[in-house]
Amino acid sequence: MNDIEVIIALLLLFMAVPDVCRRLGRPALAFPAFVVFGIVLGPLASAGVETMLHGAGVVGFLLLLFQVGLEIDLPQPRELRAAASFAVPWALVQYPVVLMLTTVAGLGLTESLLAAAALTGVSVGMSYPAWKNYPGLAEGERGRILRILIVLEAMTIILLAVGAPALEAGLSWFMLLRLGGIALTLLLVARFARHVRQLFQVILERTTLWRTHLLVLLVLVVCAAGERLGLAAAKTAFFLGLFMSRTEHEGKGLEEYAAPVSERFLIPIFFVSLGLRVEWATVGSLTGLSALGAAGLLVGVRQVLHRRWLRVGGDQRAYLLLCPNLTVVALGTSRLMESPTTAAAASWLLLTGLFTTVFAIASLPATRKDSGNRSGALSPEAAKAKPLIPA
């Protein structure tokens, strides 16, 4: 394939895949499909196309973090404690299993800790369509599980932000310094959040033709300003989304207005660029088989936990709502791919998250067409569900 043919294929993919997944009742399968396409595209794409997609993927990565922040609407402290009392043991019990699997896969301690943080997390946006219409949940259980999903995702983002090297060093000055950096980012974004929210609101209310472009532009401008101030653009994007999660106009959230550029273009490019870095031969190699086995074992462990010790609630398959994790795994994978020495670890982590997510989504009941937006992220109905999590 020449470069133009590759671009044509990508554009057709971005237009078709979300709609096909939505019609199948599996909207969250769109992101896994983009990763698979990236893996298949690898041998066919030229170096120029790969460079272009990786560059655009950096912007997609920031928008993905912004979207993840939008997904998280933190509960009241009392409800946060109740959800954390389940989420923390649920994640920690799985850590020894993940560390054992990563050791067998040949990952070092740093990569293993990062993989454990990512694989024990969950993506609220990917689980939301199935959660909204899952038949085996009582109303009280539905709200509780949503809060658990939110806490698990927030825990993962914090651990990934602190970084595996800090976790490896324990409660050292380095870890405290990294935590201080996160706190500083949080305070600065919170300090200016009201003003930024007003800008977002003005864009939503007073613009029409360029609304989507201006929203994305403002997100990137804030991330660039954070970078200039010595704050990581990725953390800035996440916390910005966290503080903008309640911004709405005509019943629609920011993610709905930004979707044509973010969820329909730049974020898919990010997932395709991740897949491009995984060699096709790796899927059928020992690394790929190890990732498949790890995904199966992790799902099995969660099934046992749900049935024997840490019951999620609902029926026997409700634990699958806590399994889709490709979004948070992609965040961890992108960090490992920054260094050539951890490329094999990155491939293993991405494939494990891919297999886990696809199995969980395929095993959950199909959702109705109005159960989520086309990429699997939170839809306008999510805002209506948020009264389950009081402000």
Side-chain angles (χ1 to χ4, degrees):
M1 296 177 69
N2 59 44
D3 293 354
I4 296 178
E5 290 172 340
V6 170
I7 300 302
I8 291 173
L10 283 173
L11 292 175
L12 291 173
L13 183 80
F14 296 160
M15 289 189 293
V17 168
D19 289 332
V20 170
C21 293
R22 184 163 55 94
R23 291 183 179 182
L24 292 174
R26 304 284 193 277
L29 281 180
F31 288 166
F34 295 139
V35 174
V36 172
F37 184 81
I39 295 174
V40 174
L41 181 63
L44 306 175
S46 67
V49 169
E50 290 188 21
T51 301
M52 178 191 67
L53 292 178
H54 292 331
V58 172
V59 180
F61 175 66
L62 294 178
L63 293 176
L64 176 63
L65 276 168
F66 176 69
Q67 179 175 293
V68 169
L70 289 175
E71 293 174 359
I72 299 175
D73 191 4
L74 292 177
Q76 290 271 6
R78 176 176 55 84
E79 294 183 331
L80 185 63
R81 287 194 297 270
S85 66
F86 177 90
V88 172
W90 174 266
L92 290 181
V93 167
Q94 298 177 59
Y95 263 62
V97 179
V98 177
L99 294 177
M100 177 193 70
L101 291 171
T102 54
T103 300
V104 172
L107 277 65
L109 180 58
T110 298
E111 295 81 17
S112 297
L113 290 170
L114 191 146
L119 291 174
T120 55
V122 66
S123 167
V124 176
M126 300 193 81
S127 295
Y128 175 79
W131 165 86
K132 184 176 183 292
N133 295 294
Y134 191 79
L137 298 177
E139 192 58 38
E141 293 176 327
R142 194 174 300 278
R144 173 177 174 270
I145 289 179
L146 179 60
R147 290 187 284 271
I148 291 172
L149 292 173
I150 290 171
V151 172
L152 282 172
E153 185 172 49
M155 285 171 47
T156 301
I157 298 299
I158 291 173
L159 290 174
L160 293 178
V162 171
L167 292 175
E168 181 182 1
L171 292 175
S172 65
W173 65 269
F174 181 72
M175 183 175 182
L176 295 177
L177 184 63
R178 294 294 297 273
L179 288 172
I182 294 174
L184 178 61
T185 304
L186 184 61
L187 289 174
L188 286 175
V189 175
R191 173 67 178 80
F192 296 102
R194 181 173 61 86
H195 304 291
V196 177
R197 188 182 297 114
Q198 290 175 349
L199 287 176
F200 276 111
Q201 202 67 48
V202 169
I203 291 173
L204 290 177
E205 295 174 357
R206 300 187 182 181
T207 60
T208 53
L209 182 61
W210 298 104
R211 177 184 288 160
T212 296
H213 301 78
L214 289 173
L215 288 174
V216 174
L217 178 62
L218 183 55
V219 172
L220 298 180
V221 166
V222 174
C223 292
E227 195 80 38
R228 284 288 183 182
L229 292 172
L231 308 174
K235 284 188 281 187
T236 303
F238 169 70
F239 286 122
L240 178 63
L242 192 65
F243 285 105
M244 298 297 111
S245 62
R246 296 178 182 274
T247 304
E248 295 182 1
H249 179 60
E250 297 180 347
K252 295 182 179 180
L254 284 176
E255 64 274 12
E256 289 295 302
Y257 289 104
V261 173
S262 60
E263 296 169 14
R264 282 286 191 167
F265 187 61
L266 290 173
I267 293 178
I269 286 179
F270 167 69
F271 282 100
V272 171
S273 69
L274 284 182
L276 276 173
R277 300 190 183 190
V278 178
E279 296 183 3
W280 176 246
T282 303
V283 179
S285 69
L286 183 60
T287 298
L289 294 176
S290 173
L292 180 61
L297 181 59
L298 285 174
V299 172
V301 167
R302 292 171 186 179
Q303 183 182 43
V304 172
L305 286 176
H306 172 62
R307 294 184 177 181
R308 299 289 182 86
W309 293 295
L310 291 170
R311 187 166 183 81
V312 177
D315 60 20
Q316 292 188 343
R317 290 196 298 168
Y319 73 95
L320 290 170
L321 294 170
L322 276 60
C323 291
N325 57 12
L326 182 62
T327 299
V328 290
V329 165
L331 302 182
T333 300
S334 64
R335 173 173 177 176
L336 289 178
M337 286 182 173
E338 293 174 1
S339 172
T341 60
T342 56
S347 297
W348 181 88
L349 177 58
L350 181 63
L351 290 175
T352 302
L354 177 66
F355 293 142
T356 303
T357 298
V358 170
F359 174 80
I361 294 173
S363 301
L364 286 165
T367 60
R368 295 195 300 266
K369 292 182 180 180
D370 62 345
S371 298
N373 66 21
R374 298 177 182 181
S375 70
L378 293 184
S379 68
E381 287 81 358
K384 300 177 183 178
K386 286 182 180 178
L388 294 171
I389 311 173

